[in-house]
Amino acid sequence: MRKMFWTTVSIFAALLASEPFVTSAHAQEVDWQKVDDAFGRKPAVSGDVHRYGFPRTDLTVTLDGVTIMPTFALGGWVAFKPMHGEAMVMSDLVLLETEINPVMLKLIEGGLEITAVHNHLLRASPATFYMHVGGHGDPARMATVIHDALAVSKTPLAPPAAAGAPPAIDLDTAQLDQLIGVKGQANGGVYQFGVPRRDPVMEGGIQIAPVGPMGVATAINFQPTGAGKAAITGDFVLIGEEVNPVIKALRANGIDVTAVHSHMLDEQPRLYFLHFWANDDALKLANGLRAALDKTASTKS
């Protein structure tokens, strides 16, 4: 009897010890080619996250005389992270007002969750809205649902054409890097920053990482507008006690706050996303953004 007991304990202990390897094996078993085929495009891969871009290159959106580049504020995306042998999906879809409910209906019919619908910008023409979607399950099936939902909008679904030479970033990017405190990168004529929070963000018992591709890092975008000026937009990722200090810091530096809202439903800690806009001297705006970042528990290199 004692021998049987210890044999059982040994088997149970072996199973527990092997669990990380089982989870890793499941992550590797995701057939990403099926997801690529469902979307008709290849992803950007960061760690174990596969992120697919759906920019609204079909739209010409202007705000305060600035024509918005797709990478500046029209870059819809869908990101998958393997978990528990399946995948978590998070996405931010860029839609016109008339597209919101047709797309939402398709997503609901496909078993996905709508976690937020809101604006990012004010005064833009045409107005754009942003639908956040979440779910867990087979990634190829969820990709098919999202693709079919986007098909009832005018979001371009054909494989993207080969990119030509991007516009030059006519800004002092080295100085911007120093002021923001992390290294930025050029993307389609826009200079972009991702500033992670110091503490991990959890959802469904899983750490959401890498944070940039999963949409939980503070995003800051500079679009040059000439003579050392830039339009800025993006979103701060904040806990509740940081929201109003950041609002005050931005407003004190001439930066408009355009939205404050959630993106998810059950993340830990509870996060709020604060969107902003300005068009002014780029270094002046970077100083204002740094003043706001200093009110948050964010990393700085």
Side-chain angles (χ1 to χ4, degrees), residues 202-234:
M202 308 295 291
E203 198 274 341
I206 299 295
Q207 183 174 346
I208 302 177
V211 291
M214 295 296 287
V216 291
T218 290
I220 296 173
N221 297 333
F222 285 77
Q223 178 178 317
T225 55
K229 296 176 66 176
I232 58 168
T233 194

Side-chain angles (χ1 to χ4, degrees), residues 88-171:
M88 168 201 298
V89 66
M90 296 174 63
S91 71
D92 188 3
L93 310 179
V94 184
L95 302 171
L96 297 174
E97 184 174 359
T98 54
E99 296 170 340
I100 292 172
N101 278 290
V103 170
M104 183 183 294
L105 181 59
K106 286 287 188 180
L107 293 168
I108 293 170
E109 289 174 345
L112 294 179
E113 293 185 329
I114 311 302
T115 61
V117 179
H118 48 236
N119 66 294
H120 287 184
L121 304 171
L122 301 174
R123 305 183 304 279
S125 179
T128 51
F129 297 84
Y130 301 78
M131 181 182 294
H132 293 265
V133 180
H136 299 85
D138 175 70
R141 186 194 68 78
M142 294 190 294
T144 299
V145 170
I146 294 170
H147 179 275
D148 291 349
L150 286 174
V152 302
S153 74
K154 293 184 179 179
T155 301
L157 295 178
I169 305 294
D170 186 21
L171 298 171

Side-chain angles (χ1 to χ4, degrees), residues 31 60 86 99 112 114 138 168 190 248 252 262 274:
D31 189 342
T60 300
E86 296 180 316
E99 296 170 340
L112 294 179
I114 311 302
D138 175 70
V190 175
K248 291 174 183 178
S262 60
L274 185 152

